[in-house]
Amino acid sequence: MTQHPSPTPPDDAPLVSLAVDRAIATVTLDSPRNRNALSARLRSELSDALARAVADDGVRGIVLTGTGPVFCAGADLKEVGAALQGTPAEPAPELPEIFEQIMGAPKPVIAVLNGAARAGGIGLVAAADIALAPKSATFAFTEVRIGVVPAIISVPVSARMHSRQLSRYFLTGELFDASAAAKAGLLTQAVPDRDMAHAVDAVLQGLRGAAPRALSRTKELLGELGASALAAPERRREAFTRMGELSAEFFSGEDAAEGRAAFFEKRSPRWAQ
């Protein structure tokens, strides 16, 4: 039997979907062709889906997941490069706004990883209240290896990860697995791949059994008790502003241009020894 390749989705196909079942809204990143990279269009659709889930009085919790082998690869480097060359960028919420939507949401957000996360994608994981990943998932803060700084994501990530591991993985850009991510505080749980459905169901059943107002106030309480950047929204806004300026400085620099070129040409950047 002749096998035909799967049809390529049309360019106007949604990049993010929203479905609600038994008080749980599932927001799915659905742009596997570019590893669910955080393009302007994906950010717009993600922000809209999160807003709709929060506004739905029947929703008690929000699952954030993805399709394909990668949860989220971080920034869309082609789009970043085009914008720096003067191509008008599509208006879209920036990452600080999306992180704040997740962290400040009055409903718990559960990151359920379908695969690897990199750079800005790890920011989504850190921003969530609960994060589950299969043990096969891998993580890396690749920014330093392409000549930029993990500035904006440092706000949610530093609120989760233990300082020693944070220093190591931010500074080296090395790959680490889900078990290491859980030990570092980034993940709530690293789950054997075959057990993911059971682990997720256990969390969702807990949320479904909770009183909505108590659940919302408990999330707020956790922020009040925290000594981290999650504790006060005004501190987050100030930090995001400063980190946005730092990020822009490095993304527009010569090292970042070389890093992007090396990434797309599949070679080592000139500074690699």
Side-chain angles (χ1 to χ4, degrees), residues 82-101:
L84 290 170
Q85 293 298 316
T87 302
E90 181 180 332
E94 297 297 338
L95 279 182
E97 183 177 338
I98 291 173
F99 292 156
E100 186 60 38
Q101 277 188 281

Side-chain angles (χ1 to χ4, degrees), residues 155-246:
V155 179
V157 171
S158 64
R160 296 296 186 193
M161 292 185 72
H162 309 317
S163 61
R164 285 297 188 187
Q165 288 95 330
L166 180 67
S167 294
R168 173 178 178 173
Y169 296 128
F170 262 24
L171 293 171
T172 67
E174 68 188 282
L175 201 70
F176 56 106
D177 63 20
S179 295
K183 290 179 181 177
L186 177 63
L187 293 178
T188 306
Q189 186 179 3
V191 183
D193 290 44
R194 66 182 180 276
D195 296 334
M196 274 293 289
H198 177 74
V200 173
D201 187 61
V203 171
L204 299 188
Q205 285 300 98
L207 297 183
R208 288 181 173 121
R213 288 184 63 244
L215 194 62
S216 177
R217 187 61 183 93
T218 299
K219 175 171 178 175
E220 187 178 351
L221 172 67
L222 289 169
E224 292 170 359
L225 293 175
S228 64
L230 281 175
E234 61 274 12
R235 288 180 55 205
R236 291 201 299 264
R237 286 191 289 270
E238 179 185 354
F240 277 134
T241 297
R242 290 187 291 107
M243 293 302 102
E245 293 168 353
L246 178 61

